[in-house]
Amino acid sequence: MKTPEDLFHYIEQALRTIVHEDVRDEERIGKVYALVSQFFVAAGEDEPLHFTTLFARIAHLCNRFRIHARHTRRMQRFRIDAEGFLRKGSIENNSDAAEIWVNGSYALHDIASIVLEIPKSESTTTLVGRKAPDIPVIGKSKGTFKRHANLVAYEIDTAKDTLLVCDADGAEGEIKLKYGDAGRSELFKENVLLAVSLIGFPLTISAIDIEIDADGSYSPRILVIEPDYLIDIST
């Protein structure tokens, strides 16, 4: 395993290489995405959890290190845009290719510095040579309906029967998910509490037929608790 200093130096040097390579911006998206994946795998090596999605890795690590919501939203925004481009080969949400990889570079440089507790050798603006793009927030519309959402829960408020979750489809940050609403989701309560006590956090959840309340909280009709990781019992 690399030392924190070695890993951060590697991240910075890899970003410099990506910036100065004579390649199209579309290629840089894939390179930054691969670097982001490498970092989150390496940074979570001490965890007894084996995640299967980058979304869950980001949500867990950012929650564990209390990363500022601004950096978390930027990273999740990059992941959404990059995965959409890599899957379809086209740019969505009126973002150009340069904006996507620059967004990922800023998020990675900031989060890596915080997690590894290593100061940046230079500002991200100097490293990347561009200003940070704005972070559009998409995904949920308050007071509407959503058919399905993949979520990672990392905190519970038993007094209010809510879970604090992140939604894989948006970069909104923390969302409250109600699991004890009378007439809608009160049947989930026992199973949610059991899953939290047996598995703990982070907990991956598929929510179906979701009403999005005026305050932005989720009220699903169906919850499927499906751990996004295996627990390592060999250590």
Side-chain angles (χ1 to χ4, degrees), residues 143-170:
T144 59
F145 177 84
K146 188 171 184 177
R147 177 63 180 167
H148 174 259
N150 291 318
L151 311 169
V152 169
Y154 47 85
E155 192 174 313
I156 190 169
D157 184 343
T158 54
K160 296 181 179 179
D161 291 340
T162 59
L163 290 165
L164 202 59
V165 303
C166 285
D167 188 336
D169 295 330

Side-chain angles (χ1 to χ4, degrees), residues 53-73:
T53 64
L54 181 58
F55 160 62
R57 288 184 185 278
I58 293 170
H60 174 62
L61 198 75
C62 287
N63 178 63
R64 174 186 167 188
F65 286 93
R66 300 299 178 187
I67 302 298
H68 193 283
R70 179 179 67 257
H71 304 314
T72 302
R73 286 198 302 270

